[in-house]
Amino acid sequence: MKTCAPLLLLAIWATSARAQDLRDLCPARPGLGTPPCIVDKGHVLAETSLADWTRDDAGGNRSDTVLTGDLLLRYGIDGKSEVQLGWTALGHNRERDSASGAIMRGHGTGDIGLAYKRSLVNPDGAGLSIAVQPFMTLPTGGSAIGAGDWSTGIILPISAEVAHGIALEFSPEVDADVDRDDSGRHAVYGSVAGLDVDLSDAVSTSVALSAFRDDDPAGHGTALLLATALAWQPGNAWQVDLGSAFGLNAHSPDARVYCGIARRF
């Protein structure tokens, strides 16, 4: 036992040293934007939504969509780049016609999302941090929450620390999204602008404004959302969060509430 004791202490010290070498935990959730930080090389950051509810009242109809198990896996390739895999395990949609009272329901899995993010400046997200993230969505989901065809786009995540514990975030984005009638693709472009504030070493909050122009041939419109979020990191590998978003015009969903967790491996 005396011989094993130094080896045990060495193993504990090595594990602690590796943990200290890791960057600050930087999940993509719960904000609407995309952070520019990169997952540590050889590590996986798993982010999942436990529950995500969206309500939209438009044209005399009310739509309620509930997502469960909206998963994002991020893997650090090297110190400056990561790959991502996203998938929604289950989605349920309910639409009610206010005039007739008729109700339509649908459920199924979501599409698969693939992305690659490369840091251009400060991959740890400190100071001024910039990255580029091309992505693609594959039509593997059902008709309830799936898009019905492939889509692609690119995001330019940017963050800038303006004071200790306070940062501005921007996520300019351009997409080739699926037409509403599945006949082709059209441009969707805009950005998310947000303010992140560290309330303590473990708790942070954010507020963001999202504005996206949708040039769908079936009807153009600009969606405006105001979002707030709260995150708690009880350790350097965990996060629990809660978020909400509210539509600011007729082209936006009325309300969204969601919660989830993130875990680094």
Side-chain angles (χ1 to χ4, degrees):
M1 290 297 293
K2 291 181 179 180
T3 304
C4 295
L7 296 177
L8 180 59
L9 291 175
L10 179 61
I12 294 174
W13 174 84
T15 302
S16 176
R18 285 194 297 270
Q20 291 175 359
D21 289 341
L22 294 179
R23 298 166 180 164
D24 291 341
L25 188 65
C26 185
R29 57 175 307 111
L32 298 183
T34 301
C37 54
I38 303 296
V39 176
D40 295 87
K41 178 182 178 180
H43 287 264
V44 174
L45 182 54
E47 309 179 29
T48 185
S49 175
L50 301 177
D52 189 329
W53 168 73
T54 300
R55 172 182 173 177
D56 189 19
D57 291 297
N61 297 325
R62 171 174 173 173
S63 173
D64 291 276
T65 302
V66 178
L67 306 179
T68 305
D70 192 3
L71 178 66
L72 176 64
L73 297 176
R74 300 165 57 194
Y75 175 75
I77 301 175
D78 52 40
K80 293 186 176 181
S81 58
E82 66 179 55
V83 290
Q84 302 179 6
L85 171 66
W87 181 64
T88 301
L90 179 63
H92 177 82
N93 180 262
R94 177 183 181 273
E95 293 190 10
R96 180 180 184 275
D97 187 288
S98 300
S100 65
I103 296 177
M104 296 180 59
R105 292 184 174 89
H107 65 274
T109 60
D111 297 334
I112 289 178
L114 303 173
Y116 170 80
K117 183 161 64 173
R118 176 73 178 182
S119 175
L120 304 179
V121 180
N122 288 338
D124 60 354
L128 174 63
S129 182
I130 305 174
V132 59
Q133 180 175 310
F135 65 89
M136 172 175 281
T137 302
L138 306 179
T140 58
S143 59
I145 60 173
D149 204 349
W150 65 269
S151 61
T152 187
I154 189 168
I155 309 172
L156 187 68
I158 303 169
S159 68
E161 189 174 9
V162 295
H164 180 67
I166 302 176
L168 295 174
E169 287 193 355
F170 304 92
S171 299
E173 179 177 344
V174 178
D175 303 346
D177 210 355
V178 182
D179 291 347
R180 200 174 305 169
D181 60 3
D182 295 334
S183 62
R185 271 155 290 278
H186 62 276
V188 176
Y189 48 92
S191 182
V192 178
L195 177 68
D196 292 348
V197 180
D198 292 336
L199 301 180
S200 69
D201 291 339
V203 180
S204 63
T205 187
S206 65
V207 59
L209 178 65
S210 170
F212 279 86
R213 176 69 178 178
D214 190 327
D215 288 339
D216 194 313
H220 299 186
T222 300
L224 296 174
L225 291 172
L226 178 64
T228 60
L230 185 68
W232 173 49
Q233 295 183 2
N236 63 354
W238 282 94
Q239 176 179 283
V240 181
D241 57 66
L242 175 67
S244 63
F246 303 94
L248 302 180
N249 63 3
H251 296 287
S252 311
D254 292 306
R256 179 188 174 199
V257 180
Y258 54 94
C259 64
I261 59 175
R263 174 71 162 90
R264 178 168 56 193
F265 299 92

